[in-house]
PDB file of all heavy atoms in Angstrom:
ATOM      1  N   SER C   1       0.848  -1.182  -0.026  1.00 57.00           N
ATOM      2  CA  SER C   1      -0.018  -0.028  -0.019  1.00 57.00           C
ATOM      3  C   SER C   1       0.891   1.292   0.004  1.00 57.00           C
ATOM      4  O   SER C   1       1.802   1.354   0.797  1.00 57.00           O
ATOM      5  CB  SER C   1      -0.881   0.008   1.267  1.00 57.00           C
ATOM      6  OG  SER C   1      -1.629   1.178   1.293  1.00 57.00           O
ATOM      7  N   VAL C   2       0.609   2.144  -0.942  1.00 52.00           N
ATOM      8  CA  VAL C   2       1.382   3.387  -1.014  1.00 52.00           C
ATOM      9  C   VAL C   2       0.436   4.567  -0.850  1.00 52.00           C
ATOM     10  O   VAL C   2      -0.637   4.657  -1.424  1.00 52.00           O
ATOM     11  CB  VAL C   2       2.069   3.472  -2.415  1.00 52.00           C
ATOM     12  CG1 VAL C   2       2.850   4.772  -2.505  1.00 52.00           C
ATOM     13  CG2 VAL C   2       2.948   2.249  -2.663  1.00 52.00           C
ATOM     14  N   ASP C   3       0.839   5.486   0.041  1.00 58.00           N
ATOM     15  CA  ASP C   3       0.013   6.725   0.298  1.00 58.00           C
ATOM     16  C   ASP C   3       0.180   7.688  -0.816  1.00 58.00           C
ATOM     17  O   ASP C   3       1.178   8.422  -0.920  1.00 58.00           O
ATOM     18  CB  ASP C   3       0.471   7.298   1.649  1.00 58.00           C
ATOM     19  CG  ASP C   3      -0.509   8.383   2.114  1.00 58.00           C
ATOM     20  OD1 ASP C   3      -1.142   9.069   1.211  1.00 58.00           O
ATOM     21  OD2 ASP C   3      -0.578   8.635   3.304  1.00 58.00           O
ATOM     22  N   VAL C   4      -0.794   7.717  -1.738  1.00 51.00           N
ATOM     23  CA  VAL C   4      -0.693   8.556  -2.926  1.00 51.00           C
ATOM     24  C   VAL C   4      -0.554  10.064  -2.585  1.00 51.00           C
ATOM     25  O   VAL C   4       0.313  10.758  -3.065  1.00 51.00           O
ATOM     26  CB  VAL C   4      -1.949   8.383  -3.840  1.00 51.00           C
ATOM     27  CG1 VAL C   4      -1.882   9.268  -5.066  1.00 51.00           C
ATOM     28  CG2 VAL C   4      -2.063   6.932  -4.256  1.00 51.00           C
ATOM     29  N   LEU C   5      -1.375  10.489  -1.670  1.00 64.00           N
ATOM     30  CA  LEU C   5      -1.410  11.904  -1.307  1.00 64.00           C
ATOM     31  C   LEU C   5      -0.035  12.354  -0.657  1.00 64.00           C
ATOM     32  O   LEU C   5       0.490  13.387  -0.971  1.00 64.00           O
ATOM     33  CB  LEU C   5      -2.556  12.237  -0.353  1.00 64.00           C
ATOM     34  CG  LEU C   5      -2.658  13.719   0.107  1.00 64.00           C
ATOM     35  CD1 LEU C   5      -2.910  14.606  -1.123  1.00 64.00           C
ATOM     36  CD2 LEU C   5      -3.845  13.815   1.070  1.00 64.00           C
ATOM     37  N   ALA C   6       0.436  11.498   0.222  1.00 65.00           N
ATOM     38  CA  ALA C   6       1.684  11.776   0.913  1.00 65.00           C
ATOM     39  C   ALA C   6       2.830  11.901  -0.063  1.00 65.00           C
ATOM     40  O   ALA C   6       3.676  12.780   0.046  1.00 65.00           O
ATOM     41  CB  ALA C   6       1.957  10.701   1.986  1.00 65.00           C
ATOM     42  N   MET C   7       2.876  10.989  -1.035  1.00 54.00           N
ATOM     43  CA  MET C   7       3.957  10.995  -2.028  1.00 54.00           C
ATOM     44  C   MET C   7       3.844  12.250  -2.918  1.00 54.00           C
ATOM     45  O   MET C   7       4.841  12.897  -3.200  1.00 54.00           O
ATOM     46  CB  MET C   7       3.934   9.762  -2.931  1.00 54.00           C
ATOM     47  CG  MET C   7       4.443   8.501  -2.223  1.00 54.00           C
ATOM     48  SD  MET C   7       4.539   7.095  -3.340  1.00 54.00           S
ATOM     49  CE  MET C   7       5.867   7.672  -4.459  1.00 54.00           C
ATOM     50  N   PHE C   8       2.630  12.580  -3.255  1.00 63.00           N
ATOM     51  CA  PHE C   8       2.398  13.747  -4.102  1.00 63.00           C
ATOM     52  C   PHE C   8       2.865  15.068  -3.381  1.00 63.00           C
ATOM     53  O   PHE C   8       3.520  15.859  -3.982  1.00 63.00           O
ATOM     54  CB  PHE C   8       0.918  13.819  -4.510  1.00 63.00           C
ATOM     55  CG  PHE C   8       0.564  15.033  -5.370  1.00 63.00           C
ATOM     56  CD1 PHE C   8       0.935  15.061  -6.720  1.00 63.00           C
ATOM     57  CD2 PHE C   8      -0.050  16.121  -4.813  1.00 63.00           C
ATOM     58  CE1 PHE C   8       0.611  16.158  -7.520  1.00 63.00           C
ATOM     59  CE2 PHE C   8      -0.371  17.254  -5.585  1.00 63.00           C
ATOM     60  CZ  PHE C   8      -0.040  17.250  -6.953  1.00 63.00           C
ATOM     61  N   LEU C   9       2.396  15.146  -2.155  1.00 70.00           N
ATOM     62  CA  LEU C   9       2.783  16.353  -1.365  1.00 70.00           C
ATOM     63  C   LEU C   9       4.267  16.432  -1.113  1.00 70.00           C
ATOM     64  O   LEU C   9       4.864  17.496  -1.086  1.00 70.00           O
ATOM     65  CB  LEU C   9       2.006  16.360  -0.038  1.00 70.00           C
ATOM     66  CG  LEU C   9       0.503  16.509  -0.092  1.00 70.00           C
ATOM     67  CD1 LEU C   9      -0.110  16.423   1.271  1.00 70.00           C
ATOM     68  CD2 LEU C   9       0.157  17.849  -0.738  1.00 70.00           C
ATOM     69  N   SER C  10       4.890  15.266  -0.962  1.00 68.00           N
ATOM     70  CA  SER C  10       6.367  15.212  -0.695  1.00 68.00           C
ATOM     71  C   SER C  10       7.145  15.761  -1.926  1.00 68.00           C
ATOM     72  O   SER C  10       8.009  16.516  -1.750  1.00 68.00           O
ATOM     73  CB  SER C  10       6.786  13.783  -0.393  1.00 68.00           C
ATOM     74  OG  SER C  10       8.142  13.686  -0.225  1.00 68.00           O
ATOM     75  N   ILE C  11       6.755  15.304  -3.115  1.00 62.00           N
ATOM     76  CA  ILE C  11       7.492  15.719  -4.267  1.00 62.00           C
ATOM     77  C   ILE C  11       7.290  17.219  -4.532  1.00 62.00           C
ATOM     78  O   ILE C  11       8.155  17.946  -4.988  1.00 62.00           O
ATOM     79  CB  ILE C  11       7.076  14.893  -5.569  1.00 62.00           C
ATOM     80  CG1 ILE C  11       8.039  15.163  -6.699  1.00 62.00           C
ATOM     81  CG2 ILE C  11       5.635  15.177  -5.969  1.00 62.00           C
ATOM     82  CD1 ILE C  11       9.389  14.674  -6.533  1.00 62.00           C
ATOM     83  N   ILE C  12       6.053  17.698  -4.233  1.00 74.00           N
ATOM     84  CA  ILE C  12       5.744  19.118  -4.366  1.00 74.00           C
ATOM     85  C   ILE C  12       6.602  19.944  -3.373  1.00 74.00           C
ATOM     86  O   ILE C  12       7.263  20.951  -3.783  1.00 74.00           O
ATOM     87  CB  ILE C  12       4.236  19.431  -4.144  1.00 74.00           C
ATOM     88  CG1 ILE C  12       3.395  18.793  -5.218  1.00 74.00           C
ATOM     89  CG2 ILE C  12       3.990  20.939  -4.055  1.00 74.00           C
ATOM     90  CD1 ILE C  12       3.572  19.328  -6.613  1.00 74.00           C
ATOM     91  N   LYS C  13       6.639  19.504  -2.145  1.00 78.00           N
ATOM     92  CA  LYS C  13       7.294  20.260  -1.086  1.00 78.00           C
ATOM     93  C   LYS C  13       8.841  20.209  -1.207  1.00 78.00           C
ATOM     94  O   LYS C  13       9.541  21.244  -1.116  1.00 78.00           O
ATOM     95  CB  LYS C  13       6.954  19.675   0.279  1.00 78.00           C
ATOM     96  CG  LYS C  13       7.623  20.357   1.498  1.00 78.00           C
ATOM     97  CD  LYS C  13       7.156  19.829   2.777  1.00 78.00           C
ATOM     98  CE  LYS C  13       7.768  18.457   3.016  1.00 78.00           C
ATOM     99  NZ  LYS C  13       7.443  17.916   4.400  1.00 78.00           N
ATOM    100  N   VAL C  14       9.366  19.031  -1.471  1.00 74.00           N
ATOM    101  CA  VAL C  14      10.839  18.807  -1.467  1.00 74.00           C
ATOM    102  C   VAL C  14      11.513  19.238  -2.810  1.00 74.00           C
ATOM    103  O   VAL C  14      12.638  19.715  -2.773  1.00 74.00           O
ATOM    104  CB  VAL C  14      11.208  17.385  -1.101  1.00 74.00           C
ATOM    105  CG1 VAL C  14      12.727  17.171  -1.152  1.00 74.00           C
ATOM    106  CG2 VAL C  14      10.676  17.027   0.255  1.00 74.00           C
ATOM    107  N   VAL C  15      10.793  19.015  -3.925  1.00 69.00           N
ATOM    108  CA  VAL C  15      11.388  19.228  -5.223  1.00 69.00           C
ATOM    109  C   VAL C  15      10.817  20.479  -5.961  1.00 69.00           C
ATOM    110  O   VAL C  15      11.569  21.427  -6.244  1.00 69.00           O
ATOM    111  CB  VAL C  15      11.248  17.992  -6.159  1.00 69.00           C
ATOM    112  CG1 VAL C  15      11.855  18.246  -7.483  1.00 69.00           C
ATOM    113  CG2 VAL C  15      11.880  16.796  -5.494  1.00 69.00           C
ATOM    114  N   ILE C  16       9.536  20.436  -6.241  1.00 76.00           N
ATOM    115  CA  ILE C  16       8.947  21.457  -7.092  1.00 76.00           C
ATOM    116  C   ILE C  16       9.019  22.877  -6.513  1.00 76.00           C
ATOM    117  O   ILE C  16       9.462  23.787  -7.226  1.00 76.00           O
ATOM    118  CB  ILE C  16       7.485  21.063  -7.454  1.00 76.00           C
ATOM    119  CG1 ILE C  16       7.425  19.691  -8.104  1.00 76.00           C
ATOM    120  CG2 ILE C  16       6.870  22.130  -8.393  1.00 76.00           C
ATOM    121  CD1 ILE C  16       8.217  19.507  -9.351  1.00 76.00           C
ATOM    122  N   VAL C  17       8.561  23.022  -5.312  1.00 84.00           N
ATOM    123  CA  VAL C  17       8.483  24.392  -4.697  1.00 84.00           C
ATOM    124  C   VAL C  17       9.882  25.042  -4.567  1.00 84.00           C
ATOM    125  O   VAL C  17      10.068  26.182  -4.987  1.00 84.00           O
ATOM    126  CB  VAL C  17       7.754  24.380  -3.340  1.00 84.00           C
ATOM    127  CG1 VAL C  17       7.889  25.698  -2.625  1.00 84.00           C
ATOM    128  CG2 VAL C  17       6.273  23.993  -3.542  1.00 84.00           C
ATOM    129  N   PRO C  18      10.893  24.368  -3.987  1.00 84.00           N
ATOM    130  CA  PRO C  18      12.208  24.966  -3.866  1.00 84.00           C
ATOM    131  C   PRO C  18      12.788  25.320  -5.230  1.00 84.00           C
ATOM    132  O   PRO C  18      13.445  26.404  -5.364  1.00 84.00           O
ATOM    133  CB  PRO C  18      13.043  23.891  -3.155  1.00 84.00           C
ATOM    134  CG  PRO C  18      12.058  23.090  -2.426  1.00 84.00           C
ATOM    135  CD  PRO C  18      10.842  23.026  -3.295  1.00 84.00           C
ATOM    136  N   ILE C  19      12.655  24.468  -6.202  1.00 79.00           N
ATOM    137  CA  ILE C  19      13.268  24.701  -7.540  1.00 79.00           C
ATOM    138  C   ILE C  19      12.521  25.854  -8.151  1.00 79.00           C
ATOM    139  O   ILE C  19      13.163  26.753  -8.780  1.00 79.00           O
ATOM    140  CB  ILE C  19      13.144  23.422  -8.409  1.00 79.00           C
ATOM    141  CG1 ILE C  19      14.225  22.413  -7.988  1.00 79.00           C
ATOM    142  CG2 ILE C  19      13.404  23.776  -9.868  1.00 79.00           C
ATOM    143  CD1 ILE C  19      14.318  21.178  -8.786  1.00 79.00           C
ATOM    144  N   ALA C  20      11.166  25.870  -8.073  1.00 84.00           N
ATOM    145  CA  ALA C  20      10.455  26.929  -8.645  1.00 84.00           C
ATOM    146  C   ALA C  20      10.783  28.274  -8.040  1.00 84.00           C
ATOM    147  O   ALA C  20      10.908  29.379  -8.730  1.00 84.00           O
ATOM    148  CB  ALA C  20       8.949  26.686  -8.444  1.00 84.00           C
ATOM    149  N   LEU C  21      11.029  28.298  -6.711  1.00 89.00           N
ATOM    150  CA  LEU C  21      11.398  29.550  -6.010  1.00 89.00           C
ATOM    151  C   LEU C  21      12.772  30.059  -6.516  1.00 89.00           C
ATOM    152  O   LEU C  21      12.946  31.234  -6.792  1.00 89.00           O
ATOM    153  CB  LEU C  21      11.438  29.336  -4.500  1.00 89.00           C
ATOM    154  CG  LEU C  21      11.730  30.504  -3.618  1.00 89.00           C
ATOM    155  CD1 LEU C  21      10.720  31.601  -3.801  1.00 89.00           C
ATOM    156  CD2 LEU C  21      11.757  30.076  -2.132  1.00 89.00           C
ATOM    157  N   GLY C  22      13.721  29.064  -6.608  1.00 85.00           N
ATOM    158  CA  GLY C  22      15.044  29.391  -7.106  1.00 85.00           C
ATOM    159  C   GLY C  22      14.989  29.893  -8.552  1.00 85.00           C
ATOM    160  O   GLY C  22      15.698  30.873  -8.928  1.00 85.00           O
ATOM    161  N   PHE C  23      14.170  29.281  -9.327  1.00 83.00           N
ATOM    162  CA  PHE C  23      14.001  29.598 -10.726  1.00 83.00           C
ATOM    163  C   PHE C  23      13.450  31.025 -10.880  1.00 83.00           C
ATOM    164  O   PHE C  23      13.975  31.846 -11.667  1.00 83.00           O
ATOM    165  CB  PHE C  23      12.992  28.594 -11.393  1.00 83.00           C
ATOM    166  CG  PHE C  23      12.684  28.895 -12.797  1.00 83.00           C
ATOM    167  CD1 PHE C  23      13.457  28.532 -13.846  1.00 83.00           C
ATOM    168  CD2 PHE C  23      11.432  29.507 -13.075  1.00 83.00           C
ATOM    169  CE1 PHE C  23      13.087  28.803 -15.181  1.00 83.00           C
ATOM    170  CE2 PHE C  23      11.058  29.779 -14.409  1.00 83.00           C
ATOM    171  CZ  PHE C  23      11.925  29.407 -15.409  1.00 83.00           C
ATOM    172  N   VAL C  24      12.484  31.353 -10.098  1.00 87.00           N
ATOM    173  CA  VAL C  24      11.859  32.726 -10.156  1.00 87.00           C
ATOM    174  C   VAL C  24      12.871  33.807  -9.715  1.00 87.00           C
ATOM    175  O   VAL C  24      13.029  34.824 -10.349  1.00 87.00           O
ATOM    176  CB  VAL C  24      10.608  32.794  -9.269  1.00 87.00           C
ATOM    177  CG1 VAL C  24      10.095  34.222  -9.158  1.00 87.00           C
ATOM    178  CG2 VAL C  24       9.516  31.963  -9.894  1.00 87.00           C
ATOM    179  N   ILE C  25      13.567  33.534  -8.619  1.00 87.00           N
ATOM    180  CA  ILE C  25      14.584  34.503  -8.124  1.00 87.00           C
ATOM    181  C   ILE C  25      15.691  34.686  -9.168  1.00 87.00           C
ATOM    182  O   ILE C  25      16.128  35.831  -9.413  1.00 87.00           O
ATOM    183  CB  ILE C  25      15.155  33.988  -6.769  1.00 87.00           C
ATOM    184  CG1 ILE C  25      14.102  34.109  -5.706  1.00 87.00           C
ATOM    185  CG2 ILE C  25      16.432  34.830  -6.386  1.00 87.00           C
ATOM    186  CD1 ILE C  25      14.553  33.546  -4.368  1.00 87.00           C
ATOM    187  N   ASN C  26      16.168  33.608  -9.795  1.00 83.00           N
ATOM    188  CA  ASN C  26      17.148  33.717 -10.804  1.00 83.00           C
ATOM    189  C   ASN C  26      16.658  34.521 -12.014  1.00 83.00           C
ATOM    190  O   ASN C  26      17.459  35.310 -12.577  1.00 83.00           O
ATOM    191  CB  ASN C  26      17.566  32.294 -11.294  1.00 83.00           C
ATOM    192  CG  ASN C  26      18.687  32.321 -12.277  1.00 83.00           C
ATOM    193  OD1 ASN C  26      19.670  33.063 -12.136  1.00 83.00           O
ATOM    194  ND2 ASN C  26      18.572  31.511 -13.311  1.00 83.00           N
ATOM    195  N   HIS C  27      15.388  34.416 -12.287  1.00 81.00           N
ATOM    196  CA  HIS C  27      14.829  35.083 -13.486  1.00 81.00           C
ATOM    197  C   HIS C  27      14.776  36.642 -13.192  1.00 81.00           C
ATOM    198  O   HIS C  27      15.112  37.425 -14.115  1.00 81.00           O
ATOM    199  CB  HIS C  27      13.440  34.581 -13.735  1.00 81.00           C
ATOM    200  CG  HIS C  27      12.755  35.234 -14.933  1.00 81.00           C
ATOM    201  ND1 HIS C  27      13.210  35.026 -16.254  1.00 81.00           N
ATOM    202  CD2 HIS C  27      11.758  36.109 -15.029  1.00 81.00           C
ATOM    203  CE1 HIS C  27      12.448  35.742 -17.075  1.00 81.00           C
ATOM    204  NE2 HIS C  27      11.549  36.457 -16.354  1.00 81.00           N
ATOM    205  N   PHE C  28      14.408  37.029 -12.010  1.00 84.00           N
ATOM    206  CA  PHE C  28      14.248  38.472 -11.705  1.00 84.00           C
ATOM    207  C   PHE C  28      15.483  39.093 -11.104  1.00 84.00           C
ATOM    208  O   PHE C  28      15.619  40.332 -11.145  1.00 84.00           O
ATOM    209  CB  PHE C  28      13.073  38.669 -10.761  1.00 84.00           C
ATOM    210  CG  PHE C  28      11.704  38.435 -11.459  1.00 84.00           C
ATOM    211  CD1 PHE C  28      11.015  37.186 -11.233  1.00 84.00           C
ATOM    212  CD2 PHE C  28      11.152  39.271 -12.321  1.00 84.00           C
ATOM    213  CE1 PHE C  28       9.806  36.966 -11.839  1.00 84.00           C
ATOM    214  CE2 PHE C  28       9.960  39.063 -12.956  1.00 84.00           C
ATOM    215  CZ  PHE C  28       9.279  37.903 -12.681  1.00 84.00           C
ATOM    216  N   PHE C  29      16.388  38.314 -10.546  1.00 81.00           N
ATOM    217  CA  PHE C  29      17.573  38.882  -9.864  1.00 81.00           C
ATOM    218  C   PHE C  29      18.847  38.162 -10.370  1.00 81.00           C
ATOM    219  O   PHE C  29      19.635  37.696  -9.509  1.00 81.00           O
ATOM    220  CB  PHE C  29      17.456  38.775  -8.323  1.00 81.00           C
ATOM    221  CG  PHE C  29      16.188  39.372  -7.796  1.00 81.00           C
ATOM    222  CD1 PHE C  29      15.107  38.612  -7.477  1.00 81.00           C
ATOM    223  CD2 PHE C  29      16.119  40.767  -7.548  1.00 81.00           C
ATOM    224  CE1 PHE C  29      13.963  39.223  -6.932  1.00 81.00           C
ATOM    225  CE2 PHE C  29      14.994  41.357  -7.036  1.00 81.00           C
ATOM    226  CZ  PHE C  29      13.870  40.587  -6.765  1.00 81.00           C
ATOM    227  N   GLY C  30      18.957  38.039 -11.700  1.00 74.00           N
ATOM    228  CA  GLY C  30      19.995  37.292 -12.307  1.00 74.00           C
ATOM    229  C   GLY C  30      21.398  37.750 -11.895  1.00 74.00           C
ATOM    230  O   GLY C  30      22.325  36.912 -11.696  1.00 74.00           O
ATOM    231  N   LYS C  31      21.652  39.026 -11.733  1.00 75.00           N
ATOM    232  CA  LYS C  31      23.006  39.578 -11.385  1.00 75.00           C
ATOM    233  C   LYS C  31      23.393  39.145 -10.006  1.00 75.00           C
ATOM    234  O   LYS C  31      24.532  38.778  -9.750  1.00 75.00           O
ATOM    235  CB  LYS C  31      22.956  41.101 -11.469  1.00 75.00           C
ATOM    236  CG  LYS C  31      22.795  41.643 -12.914  1.00 75.00           C
ATOM    237  CD  LYS C  31      22.871  43.187 -12.911  1.00 75.00           C
ATOM    238  CE  LYS C  31      22.747  43.747 -14.343  1.00 75.00           C
ATOM    239  NZ  LYS C  31      22.787  45.182 -14.387  1.00 75.00           N
ATOM    240  N   PHE C  32      22.444  39.083  -9.047  1.00 76.00           N
ATOM    241  CA  PHE C  32      22.714  38.632  -7.724  1.00 76.00           C
ATOM    242  C   PHE C  32      22.991  37.128  -7.665  1.00 76.00           C
ATOM    243  O   PHE C  32      23.965  36.704  -7.019  1.00 76.00           O
ATOM    244  CB  PHE C  32      21.527  39.010  -6.799  1.00 76.00           C
ATOM    245  CG  PHE C  32      21.622  38.360  -5.426  1.00 76.00           C
ATOM    246  CD1 PHE C  32      22.520  38.882  -4.505  1.00 76.00           C
ATOM    247  CD2 PHE C  32      20.818  37.267  -5.142  1.00 76.00           C
ATOM    248  CE1 PHE C  32      22.612  38.271  -3.229  1.00 76.00           C
ATOM    249  CE2 PHE C  32      20.932  36.686  -3.863  1.00 76.00           C
ATOM    250  CZ  PHE C  32      21.799  37.229  -2.935  1.00 76.00           C
ATOM    251  N   THR C  33      22.189  36.401  -8.375  1.00 77.00           N
ATOM    252  CA  THR C  33      22.335  34.852  -8.267  1.00 77.00           C
ATOM    253  C   THR C  33      23.595  34.454  -8.955  1.00 77.00           C
ATOM    254  O   THR C  33      24.148  33.394  -8.669  1.00 77.00           O
ATOM    255  CB  THR C  33      21.095  34.215  -8.945  1.00 77.00           C
ATOM    256  OG1 THR C  33      20.987  34.659 -10.279  1.00 77.00           O
ATOM    257  CG2 THR C  33      19.843  34.512  -8.122  1.00 77.00           C
ATOM    258  N   THR C  34      24.147  35.240  -9.879  1.00 74.00           N
ATOM    259  CA  THR C  34      25.399  34.854 -10.597  1.00 74.00           C
ATOM    260  C   THR C  34      26.519  34.712  -9.527  1.00 74.00           C
ATOM    261  O   THR C  34      27.343  33.840  -9.601  1.00 74.00           O
ATOM    262  CB  THR C  34      25.817  35.928 -11.662  1.00 74.00           C
ATOM    263  OG1 THR C  34      24.766  35.953 -12.620  1.00 74.00           O
ATOM    264  CG2 THR C  34      27.155  35.548 -12.309  1.00 74.00           C
ATOM    265  N   LYS C  35      26.554  35.584  -8.579  1.00 72.00           N
ATOM    266  CA  LYS C  35      27.535  35.534  -7.497  1.00 72.00           C
ATOM    267  C   LYS C  35      27.287  34.358  -6.525  1.00 72.00           C
ATOM    268  O   LYS C  35      28.202  33.708  -6.119  1.00 72.00           O
ATOM    269  CB  LYS C  35      27.572  36.863  -6.747  1.00 72.00           C
ATOM    270  CG  LYS C  35      27.985  38.065  -7.588  1.00 72.00           C
ATOM    271  CD  LYS C  35      27.946  39.362  -6.818  1.00 72.00           C
ATOM    272  CE  LYS C  35      28.290  40.538  -7.667  1.00 72.00           C
ATOM    273  NZ  LYS C  35      28.274  41.831  -6.847  1.00 72.00           N
ATOM    274  N   VAL C  36      25.988  34.170  -6.237  1.00 74.00           N
ATOM    275  CA  VAL C  36      25.623  33.136  -5.277  1.00 74.00           C
ATOM    276  C   VAL C  36      25.948  31.744  -5.836  1.00 74.00           C
ATOM    277  O   VAL C  36      26.326  30.811  -5.079  1.00 74.00           O
ATOM    278  CB  VAL C  36      24.127  33.202  -4.953  1.00 74.00           C
ATOM    279  CG1 VAL C  36      23.719  32.057  -4.069  1.00 74.00           C
ATOM    280  CG2 VAL C  36      23.852  34.496  -4.242  1.00 74.00           C
ATOM    281  N   LYS C  37      25.898  31.533  -7.143  1.00 69.00           N
ATOM    282  CA  LYS C  37      26.044  30.247  -7.767  1.00 69.00           C
ATOM    283  C   LYS C  37      27.390  29.656  -7.471  1.00 69.00           C
ATOM    284  O   LYS C  37      27.575  28.442  -7.510  1.00 69.00           O
ATOM    285  CB  LYS C  37      25.885  30.367  -9.272  1.00 69.00           C
ATOM    286  CG  LYS C  37      24.427  30.561  -9.712  1.00 69.00           C
ATOM    287  CD  LYS C  37      24.321  30.771 -11.209  1.00 69.00           C
ATOM    288  CE  LYS C  37      22.926  31.177 -11.631  1.00 69.00           C
ATOM    289  NZ  LYS C  37      22.808  31.463 -13.101  1.00 69.00           N
ATOM    290  N   GLU C  38      28.369  30.519  -7.229  1.00 70.00           N
ATOM    291  CA  GLU C  38      29.777  30.006  -6.951  1.00 70.00           C
ATOM    292  C   GLU C  38      29.841  29.161  -5.651  1.00 70.00           C
ATOM    293  O   GLU C  38      30.691  28.314  -5.552  1.00 70.00           O
ATOM    294  CB  GLU C  38      30.739  31.188  -6.799  1.00 70.00           C
ATOM    295  CG  GLU C  38      30.913  32.006  -8.093  1.00 70.00           C
ATOM    296  CD  GLU C  38      31.904  33.160  -7.935  1.00 70.00           C
ATOM    297  OE1 GLU C  38      32.329  33.375  -6.789  1.00 70.00           O
ATOM    298  OE2 GLU C  38      32.209  33.817  -8.926  1.00 70.00           O
ATOM    299  N   ALA C  39      28.858  29.397  -4.766  1.00 73.00           N
ATOM    300  CA  ALA C  39      28.889  28.640  -3.517  1.00 73.00           C
ATOM    301  C   ALA C  39      27.999  27.409  -3.548  1.00 73.00           C
ATOM    302  O   ALA C  39      28.047  26.621  -2.619  1.00 73.00           O
ATOM    303  CB  ALA C  39      28.416  29.562  -2.364  1.00 73.00           C
ATOM    304  N   LEU C  40      27.253  27.205  -4.654  1.00 72.00           N
ATOM    305  CA  LEU C  40      26.320  26.079  -4.656  1.00 72.00           C
ATOM    306  C   LEU C  40      26.930  24.733  -4.561  1.00 72.00           C
ATOM    307  O   LEU C  40      26.420  23.794  -3.852  1.00 72.00           O
ATOM    308  CB  LEU C  40      25.466  26.205  -5.937  1.00 72.00           C
ATOM    309  CG  LEU C  40      24.504  27.421  -6.054  1.00 72.00           C
ATOM    310  CD1 LEU C  40      23.715  27.353  -7.265  1.00 72.00           C
ATOM    311  CD2 LEU C  40      23.630  27.473  -4.778  1.00 72.00           C
ATOM    312  N   PRO C  41      28.086  24.426  -5.231  1.00 70.00           N
ATOM    313  CA  PRO C  41      28.680  23.097  -5.059  1.00 70.00           C
ATOM    314  C   PRO C  41      29.083  22.870  -3.571  1.00 70.00           C
ATOM    315  O   PRO C  41      28.880  21.739  -3.090  1.00 70.00           O
ATOM    316  CB  PRO C  41      29.982  23.164  -5.935  1.00 70.00           C
ATOM    317  CG  PRO C  41      29.612  24.173  -7.001  1.00 70.00           C
ATOM    318  CD  PRO C  41      28.739  25.225  -6.294  1.00 70.00           C
ATOM    319  N   LEU C  42      29.502  23.852  -2.915  1.00 78.00           N
ATOM    320  CA  LEU C  42      29.870  23.733  -1.462  1.00 78.00           C
ATOM    321  C   LEU C  42      28.633  23.329  -0.640  1.00 78.00           C
ATOM    322  O   LEU C  42      28.697  22.435   0.166  1.00 78.00           O
ATOM    323  CB  LEU C  42      30.521  25.016  -0.982  1.00 78.00           C
ATOM    324  CG  LEU C  42      30.816  25.076   0.547  1.00 78.00           C
ATOM    325  CD1 LEU C  42      31.834  24.013   0.890  1.00 78.00           C
ATOM    326  CD2 LEU C  42      31.353  26.505   0.891  1.00 78.00           C
TER     327      LEU C  42
END
């Protein structure tokens, strides 16, 4: 038995929302995020 709702909410919370937020910030504040990207591998 797999909890469909729990899995759906998990993928939304852990993957979609954070990536979408980063994507939007990168789109509107590209100059700022260019500097931040250097620290991402760390």
